[in-house]
Amino acid sequence: MTLTKDRLRKYLNIKREFSEDKYINVNPIQRGGILSKEARMALLEWGDGYSICDFCPPQTPRLDKITKPPVSDFYQDLADFLGMDEARVVTRCREAKLIAFMMLCKPGDYIVLDSLAHYTSYLAAELAGLKVKEVPNSGYPEFKLDVEAYALKIEEVIKETGKPPALALITHVDYQYGNLADVERAAKICHEYGVPVLLNAAYSAGISPVNGRKLGVDIIVSSGHKSWAACAPTGILAMTSEMAKKILKPSSIEGDLTKRKFAVKELALLGCTVMGAPLITLMASFPHVVERVEKWNEEVEKARYVVKELERINGFKQLGEKPKMHTLIHMESQSFYEVSKRHKRRGYFLYDELKSRGIVGIQPGLTKHFKFNVYGLTWSQVKYFVQCFHEIAEKYGVEVR
């Protein structure tokens, strides 16, 4: 089939409708990923495919050995920032989890994870051939994780298999309710059984202070495009030196005919990982990220303000733990759900009303339950966001107390 110019024209002027200068975007997975101005400039400079590899050292051809741009320095600075010994950048947080699972576990092993874990934690475990034991939460409305139950689940694994699980995963902040887990307590419990701990910090590291050494974890994984002001796809894998010996093992294979060896390459990373715009934007935004995590307490204040003001609307209730310790908010709205039943646009009315006021990011069609994130918004934007919800409520006869 011939690809005509008419058929290809749709690719020539691709624009994003929801630019930051036109809309307030409260999508839960986008607030922490908005590029810094330095990253936008670096994106233009380094966006071409393998441009970052121009200065790859011939004797040690590895991404983490590149000094211009300063990838090698960045990896060490990144590790230090997270309170770990070694760090690597991979394509996604989910890939970082998979790498850890495959290098630390054997097919058939158990891992223990929290029941609020991201779905990719389960998929990574399944792909690695692992079994899972889930640590329960309290259920509606707080969904509070019972970290003491890590001991119970580890004991269950020992009873079934005669040995402890190969790894424990703790989700620092979950993606459904924005609950903050007691990582220090959970990690202490796991270590009492000799179980290493992986912290999924996809929704915390990069926007809030996270120090793996203080938290007592062995591995940290995170998402550059969710929380580090970088292009997608970007994942972070940081670890102690002990874990690095196991996770970053070099290749040991040799070609039978060519006698080629690849011992300089890190096996689980398939040599090198992110060679272009995602890595360079992560690096360019790093000074901005280091500075912004110090303002985390104010970001939490904004989230609490939004919850307080939205709960003035009849039928609105924040789900998850209170008071909020994170900026991701899950709201239940029985009153707006009732409005949707009689509105010609059904559940899309809320999306329409918000968009007409310059706010996007809440999933179209949802009114009874919806998530949003106010991280990085100015106080004036936060107050405008609240004002819009109050206006919509009053428009449809919902009381604002």
Side-chain angles (χ1 to χ4, degrees):
M1 182 179 292
T2 302
L3 293 175
T4 64
K5 288 184 178 182
D6 285 342
R7 186 175 174 182
L8 297 173
R9 188 171 289 117
K10 56 181 172 287
Y11 304 114
L12 298 179
N13 192 28
I14 300 175
K15 291 185 177 180
R16 182 184 179 199
E17 183 182 356
F18 303 147
S19 60
E20 283 291 306
D21 59 336
K22 294 181 179 179
Y23 289 92
I24 298 173
N25 190 341
V26 293
N27 191 305
I29 63 175
Q30 292 184 28
R31 288 307 314 164
I34 297 169
L35 297 186
S36 64
K37 63 180 182 181
E38 293 82 5
R40 292 188 188 280
M41 293 171 61
L43 178 60
L44 293 175
E45 180 72 14
W46 294 89
D48 296 335
Y50 275 89
S51 58
I52 206 168
C53 302
D54 287 343
F55 302 99
C56 185
Q59 301 305 317
T60 52
R62 239 170 54 185
L63 196 61
D64 61 300
K65 302 299 183 183
I66 295 175
T67 59
K68 182 181 178 181
V71 180
S72 180
D73 285 348
F74 173 66
Y75 276 16
Q76 189 56 58
D77 289 341
L78 180 59
D80 291 344
F81 180 63
L82 291 172
M84 293 276 101
D85 299 315
E86 296 276 356
R88 297 290 185 269
V89 175
V90 294
T91 59
R92 294 166 295 174
C93 181
R94 63 194 67 184
E95 183 192 26
K97 285 182 280 190
L98 178 61
I99 288 170
F101 290 170
M102 294 185 71
M103 299 306 288
L104 299 176
C105 312
K106 297 177 182 177
D109 281 349
Y110 269 102
I111 65 167
V112 174
L113 49 66
D114 58 278
S115 51
L116 298 173
H118 195 263
Y119 77 90
T120 58
S121 298
Y122 291 86
L123 297 189
E126 182 180 4
L127 187 56
L130 308 179
K131 301 174 184 177
V132 301
K133 287 280 187 181
E134 295 176 292
V135 176
N137 64 72
S138 63
Y140 183 92
E142 282 195 313
F143 302 93
K144 184 176 181 178
L145 184 67
D146 181 10
V147 295
E148 298 297 326
Y150 269 92
L152 175 65
K153 294 303 173 180
I154 291 172
E155 292 279 3
E156 286 182 10
V157 174
I158 293 173
K159 186 176 180 180
E160 289 181 29
T161 68
K163 62 180 182 179
L167 190 68
L169 182 147
I170 305 169
T171 306
H172 198 188
V173 174
D174 77 276
Y175 74 115
Q176 289 282 18
Y177 307 102
N179 285 348
L180 180 70
D182 186 351
V183 177
E184 288 187 65
R185 177 58 185 156
K188 186 175 185 295
I189 292 170
C190 294
H191 284 158
E192 287 172 354
Y193 289 91
V195 178
V197 175
L198 182 154
L199 180 68
N200 181 4
Y203 283 86
S204 56
I207 61 172
S208 66
V210 175
N211 186 299
R213 196 169 289 110
K214 290 181 180 178
L215 293 171
V217 301
D218 305 283
I219 305 161
I220 294 176
V221 298
S222 193
S223 171
H225 49 273
K226 278 194 180 82
S227 302
W228 292 74
C231 290
T234 330
I236 291 166
L237 173 62
M239 67 218 92
T240 64
S241 55
E242 182 182 356
M243 289 294 108
K245 292 174 184 176
K246 300 175 181 179
I247 294 174
L248 302 177
K249 289 195 303 186
S251 167
S252 61
I253 198 168
E254 179 179 333
D256 289 339
L257 297 179
T258 63
K259 301 302 178 185
R260 296 171 68 199
K261 297 180 181 180
F262 311 97
V264 72
K265 300 295 187 181
E266 292 170 329
L267 178 61
L269 275 57
L270 297 179
C272 294
T273 53
V274 181
M275 283 83 79
L279 174 57
I280 208 70
T281 54
L282 183 68
M283 292 169 60
S285 283
F286 188 55
H288 165 71
V289 167
V290 171
E291 180 181 351
R292 78 182 185 181
V293 300
E294 299 302 323
K295 304 172 184 176
W296 177 242
N297 288 340
E298 184 180 4
E299 297 296 341
V300 174
E301 284 181 33
K302 294 173 189 174
R304 291 178 179 178
Y305 170 81
V306 169
V307 168
K308 182 187 72 171
E309 290 298 314
L310 290 193
E311 286 191 332
R312 288 175 54 202
I313 303 173
N314 185 45
F316 270 56
K317 180 179 183 178
Q318 177 233 311
L319 300 187
E321 293 183 78
K322 287 186 174 182
K324 286 297 299 179
M325 299 297 289
H326 194 269
T327 57
L328 188 154
I329 299 167
H330 185 136
M331 194 64 65
E332 181 179 70
S333 170
Q334 187 63 39
S335 57
F336 276 21
Y337 177 60
E338 294 299 323
V339 171
S340 73
K341 289 180 180 180
R342 61 179 186 268
H343 197 283
K344 65 179 180 179
R345 286 280 289 162
R346 309 295 290 178
Y348 289 88
F349 92 91
L350 178 58
Y351 178 82
D352 294 343
E353 292 285 358
L354 288 172
K355 186 179 178 183
S356 70
R357 292 168 170 81
I359 296 171
V360 294
I362 290 178
Q363 189 172 339
L366 298 184
T367 53
K368 191 173 184 179
H369 291 275
F370 52 86
K371 297 185 296 180
F372 56 89
N373 194 337
V374 296
Y375 178 79
L377 298 184
T378 64
W379 272 107
S380 62
Q381 289 175 317
V382 165
K383 291 176 181 178
Y384 176 69
F385 177 79
V386 166
Q387 175 189 327
C388 289
F389 267 90
H390 287 179
E391 289 176 357
I392 295 167
E394 291 167 355
K395 178 177 179 178
Y396 292 98
V398 178
E399 180 186 6
V400 180
R401 296 184 291 272

